[in-house]
Amino acid sequence: MCGIVGYIGSKEALPVLIEGLKNLEYRGYDSSGVGLVSTQGGLQVRKEKGKIKCLEDLLAQHPVRKAQVGIAHTRWATHGAPCRKNSHPHNNGRGTISVVHNGIIENYQQLKAELISRGAKFVSETDTEVIVHLIDEYFEGDLVKAVQRAILQLTGSFAIGVISSADPATLVAARVGSPLIVGVGEGEYFIASDVPAIIRHTRRVIYLKDGELAVLRREGVEVMNFAGEKAPFTIDKVTFKMDAAQKQGYAHFMLKEMHEQPEVLKTMAALRLKGGRVTLDGLGLSDAQLKGFTRIKVVACGTAYHAGLVGRYIIEELARVPVEVDVSSEFRYRAPIVDQKTLLIAVSQSGETADTLAAAREARARGAVVVSICNVIGSSLARESRGVLYTHAGPEIGVASTKAYTAQLMMFYLLALKLAEVHGGTAVKERLQFARDLAEVPALIKETLKNAKHIAKIARKHSHYGCFLYLGRNINYPSALEGALKLKEISYIPAEGYAAGEMKHGPIALIDEYRAVVCIAPQSDIYEKMVSNIQEILSRKGKVIAIATEGDLAIQQHAVKVIYIPRTHKLLTPLLAVVPLQLLAYHIAVNRGCDVDQPRNLAKSVTVE
């Protein structure tokens, strides 16, 4: 979950590295550091606890000599508390080799004990430090060979960047299980955990595959396997614009990304919906193959899991195909029952979520056909899948997912329509009308966003509450889960989402005058049941905020505060209801002075178990 960036070329490396770190800070912000090497100055390292501003302050007090080769790292702590000694880069004992690392080395304790027995001296509590000591032990004048020998000893996941004062014209990178790209410029080359780190310098990238090592020199790039054999590679062009990774005048990335949702979904609908029929380019399956699946399994984590839950309701309703949804981290530990007639849908914004990757591999090993819903082109999950449904939502920098979630929902709606078409689960006339309704959703979300001031006002009046409950029924039960997660993530207020029918089975004991309850109650055939839940809460002095359909004046008799969403098909309400839930969480967090884009203890991509 850490962020890595590296540079070799003719420019001064430090400004490139610092800019890259700032664009990767969503991947971790416990500490950061840089390592620079030059023919004149040897190896220089500066690192500091805290955000990148703390590193910049340190560099101002203790500047480094100019260098044209360097590596840098922003950390999300796994092994060892956030502090300077545990920050990356890590050096060998002689201060001649420096390493940055994203991932977890599972056998580090055994390796550390062996290295100590042979005289190595460790200064940190991290698993990463074993890597640099191994490279040092194997170094005999050839940095590439030393890295090759060292990484063969490692068990776990890693993306690494390595430099050495003994070979100041070389930058070595390697990956297993953790993402790493190589940027190709004009006489300059980069490594990075993600494209935003280097997008200002180049749009040409190589997506390293698992088990590949890259050697970067000013003359060019070599890619090889860990045995040293040359590996073929392609140079892809990144299509999103530089300003997509900038705030563009918004106070926070999260706010900007919420307001990007209408355009993202409009583009998806325009690309995939043609005359009421769905085109799923990239799925990699014919209609006959789709029809042959007798059941569907969805695996995902966090917000993507909630999207999968909505997907289950939609697919079962429209296509009449049974769907199961699993948390990825549990899927492979329960001997899942899958076979050749199982379609497994793996959902991950980054395509690098470790648990989801592991679940996809487990399902594939058991015979299932794996397709993925993913935002990042060339990701590990995409390469593990038979087909990929890219959401093309653009970079999402805010740690709390917003536009990626609604894009995943949109893709599930599109997939459900396609499955309904091949399985005949819904009448053609009904299906075509649903497709038309779906195409109108982006404009309705745009209308919903216009309620932002009203929602901000409600947030101010409720930001002091110490606990929130979120209630929803049927297809909006996942919306309750997602609303609660958003609030927890960015405001640190304890919040729980429940199926509203479960209130009397325990959660109602929590209701009192100090509790705020968000009730998702759009017009549907279960509306009256939600109103009953609201009345039960009010009779116990709970403070109710209701999400309701425009024109529903009756609900004002029951709810303390009402946020309206436009009228739409009942199955499409999760796409609209989540927008006020996002805005409510955002404004509560801002009122409480929380760091909205970089909430404590979290990182954007969970690339380790």
Side-chain angles (χ1 to χ4, degrees):
M1 302 218 285
C2 307
I4 290 172
V5 62
Y7 175 79
I8 185 167
S10 57
K11 295 176 186 169
E12 188 179 348
L14 183 61
V16 176
L17 297 175
I18 293 295
E19 177 192 53
L21 286 184
K22 287 178 177 177
N23 289 333
L24 286 179
E25 200 168 15
Y26 59 90
R27 295 183 65 89
Y29 30 86
D30 295 333
S31 59
S32 59
V34 295
L36 300 159
V37 67
S38 65
T39 51
Q40 300 82 18
L43 182 65
Q44 308 169 81
V45 171
R46 301 286 187 273
K47 50 190 186 175
E48 188 60 280
K49 177 185 175 182
K51 296 192 177 183
I52 292 160
K53 177 66 168 63
C54 300
L55 175 63
E56 289 182 294
D57 292 343
L58 177 68
L59 285 163
Q61 296 168 19
H62 304 283
V64 292
R65 296 179 295 277
K66 290 184 179 181
Q68 296 172 325
V69 181
I71 52 178
H73 186 274
T74 181
R75 184 173 186 243
W76 185 85
T78 53
H79 296 77
C83 62
R84 185 180 288 181
K85 73 174 182 179
N86 289 332
S87 306
H88 299 217
H90 289 286
N91 296 347
N92 62 335
R94 295 176 289 121
T96 57
I97 301 172
S98 197
V99 169
V100 290
H101 165 227
N102 173 33
I104 288 180
I105 307 304
E106 295 172 0
N107 62 334
Y108 87 99
Q109 289 179 319
Q110 174 195 337
L111 292 171
K112 185 173 182 178
E114 292 170 359
L115 286 161
I116 289 172
S117 73
R118 295 194 292 268
K121 296 189 184 304
F122 284 75
V123 298
S124 79
E125 303 162 323
T126 69
D127 54 336
T128 302
E129 200 177 351
V130 301
I131 303 172
V132 72
H133 285 294
L134 280 172
I135 295 170
D136 185 37
E137 193 169 79
Y138 290 127
F139 186 76
E140 295 175 350
D142 188 323
L143 183 62
V144 177
K145 286 185 178 178
V147 172
Q148 285 174 330
R149 292 181 67 187
I151 57 183
L152 289 173
Q153 307 303 310
L154 306 177
T155 301
S157 65
F158 58 84
I160 60 171
V162 187
I163 55 174
S164 172
S165 58
D167 189 357
T170 302
L171 169 57
V172 183
R175 67 154 292 188
V176 169
S178 294
L180 198 62
I181 62 171
V182 174
V184 179
E186 298 297 328
E188 60 183 5
Y189 301 89
F190 310 80
I191 63 169
S193 297
D194 205 351
V195 171
I198 60 173
I199 189 65
R200 197 171 73 82
H201 303 281
T202 183
R203 293 182 174 276
R204 301 164 67 215
V205 300
I206 301 165
Y207 294 99
L208 290 184
K209 301 181 181 71
D210 266 3
E212 286 188 340
L213 180 147
V215 182
L216 286 65
R217 298 187 176 98
R218 288 185 180 88
E219 311 88 71
V221 177
E222 289 180 87
V223 179
M224 61 188 74
N225 62 27
F226 289 175
E229 301 163 334
K230 284 194 175 181
F233 63 87
T234 57
I235 300 176
D236 293 303
K237 189 171 182 180
V238 177
T239 56
F240 71 76
K241 297 177 182 177
M242 175 64 187
D243 60 7
Q246 306 299 317
K247 289 182 185 174
Q248 296 177 291
Y250 285 93
H252 298 92
F253 278 109
M254 184 180 177
L255 187 61
K256 169 182 173 272
E257 288 154 6
M258 283 188 281
H259 281 83
E260 288 175 340
Q261 290 175 115
E263 194 58 37
V264 168
L265 300 194
K266 182 181 176 183
T267 301
M268 289 179 72
L271 286 172
R272 303 284 192 177
L273 274 176
K274 306 288 184 183
R277 296 180 66 86
V278 178
T279 303
L280 292 180
D281 294 337
L283 183 61
L285 296 167
S286 67
D287 286 2
Q289 288 170 316
L290 274 178
K291 192 171 183 178
F293 295 116
T294 57
R295 62 179 168 179
I296 295 170
K297 285 186 178 284
V298 179
V299 291
C301 298
T303 285
Y305 171 72
H306 300 155
L309 290 174
V310 175
R312 178 179 66 188
Y313 283 98
I314 307 160
I315 293 169
E316 290 189 342
E317 178 84 17
L318 296 184
R320 307 309 298 159
V321 180
V323 181
E324 296 175 20
V325 187
D326 270 277
V327 176
S328 300
S329 56
E330 291 295 322
F331 177 79
R332 64 190 173 117
Y333 296 117
R334 63 175 188 84
I337 301 170
V338 299
D339 55 27
Q340 292 85 353
K341 291 191 174 183
T342 305
L343 176 65
L344 183 122
I345 304 170
V347 191
S348 167
Q349 186 280 141
S350 67
E352 303 294 345
T353 308
D355 289 315
T356 303
L357 271 168
R361 289 167 181 153
E362 177 73 15
R364 197 175 64 181
R366 291 172 178 265
V369 174
V370 176
V371 299
S372 55
I373 295 175
C374 185
N375 188 35
V376 179
I377 295 171
S379 64
S380 297
L381 183 59
R383 290 195 291 268
E384 293 284 344
S385 304
R386 170 79 167 269
V388 189
L389 296 173
Y390 285 115
T391 54
H392 297 296
E396 188 176 65
I397 307 300
V399 168
S401 183
T402 52
K403 67 175 179 175
Y405 175 70
T406 49
Q408 289 163 357
L409 289 186
M410 175 62 89
M411 194 59 77
F412 270 115
Y413 282 104
L414 294 166
L415 180 59
L417 278 168
K418 183 65 177 177
L419 289 166
E421 180 186 319
V422 300
H423 281 273
T426 308
V428 175
K429 184 178 179 181
E430 185 181 338
R431 199 165 60 241
L432 291 174
Q433 182 57 52
F434 189 83
R436 286 192 287 271
D437 292 341
L438 181 60
E440 291 175 1
V441 163
L444 299 181
I445 290 178
K446 198 169 186 178
E447 285 299 309
T448 307
L449 285 163
K450 291 178 181 178
N451 283 336
K453 287 185 179 178
H454 172 60
I455 296 167
K457 196 172 180 181
I458 292 173
R460 279 195 298 275
K461 291 183 177 179
H462 291 78
S463 58
H464 66 283
Y465 284 93
C467 177
F468 275 69
L469 295 180
Y470 287 73
L471 301 180
R473 282 181 179 265
N474 195 261
I475 200 165
N476 277 304
Y477 163 48
S479 301
L481 297 175
E482 177 61 11
L485 178 61
K486 282 293 149 288
L487 190 69
K488 282 184 282 195
E489 284 179 313
I490 62 174
S491 74
Y492 319 136
I493 297 174
E496 294 184 82
Y498 283 100
E502 293 297 296
M503 272 293 290
K504 291 186 282 291
H505 296 275
I508 200 165
L510 297 173
I511 304 298
D512 59 25
E513 60 196 287
Y514 306 108
R515 213 76 48 178
V517 186
V518 181
C519 296
I520 305 163
Q523 289 291 338
S524 71
D525 50 6
I526 54 166
Y527 171 76
E528 296 300 335
K529 294 185 183 298
M530 280 303 304
V531 170
S532 294
N533 288 128
I534 290 171
Q535 290 171 332
E536 289 165 356
I537 295 160
L538 290 173
S539 68
R540 289 158 179 83
K541 299 184 180 179
K543 308 302 180 187
V544 174
I545 301 168
I547 311 292
T549 303
E550 233 166 42
D552 179 8
L553 301 180
I555 201 168
Q556 294 179 13
Q557 302 169 25
H558 310 293
V560 174
K561 299 293 179 184
V562 182
I563 301 168
Y564 286 110
I565 58 174
R567 188 175 296 275
T568 188
H569 191 291
K570 65 179 181 181
L571 292 180
L572 295 172
T573 53
L575 278 165
L576 299 181
V578 75
V579 176
L581 297 177
Q582 293 168 349
L583 286 165
L584 187 66
Y586 170 81
H587 286 292
I588 288 174
V590 169
N591 275 301
R592 291 168 66 90
C594 299
D595 192 335
V596 172
D597 285 335
Q598 296 175 356
R600 68 187 183 206
N601 302 333
L602 297 179
K604 186 67 181 171
S605 301
V606 184
T607 59
V608 295
E609 267 199 89

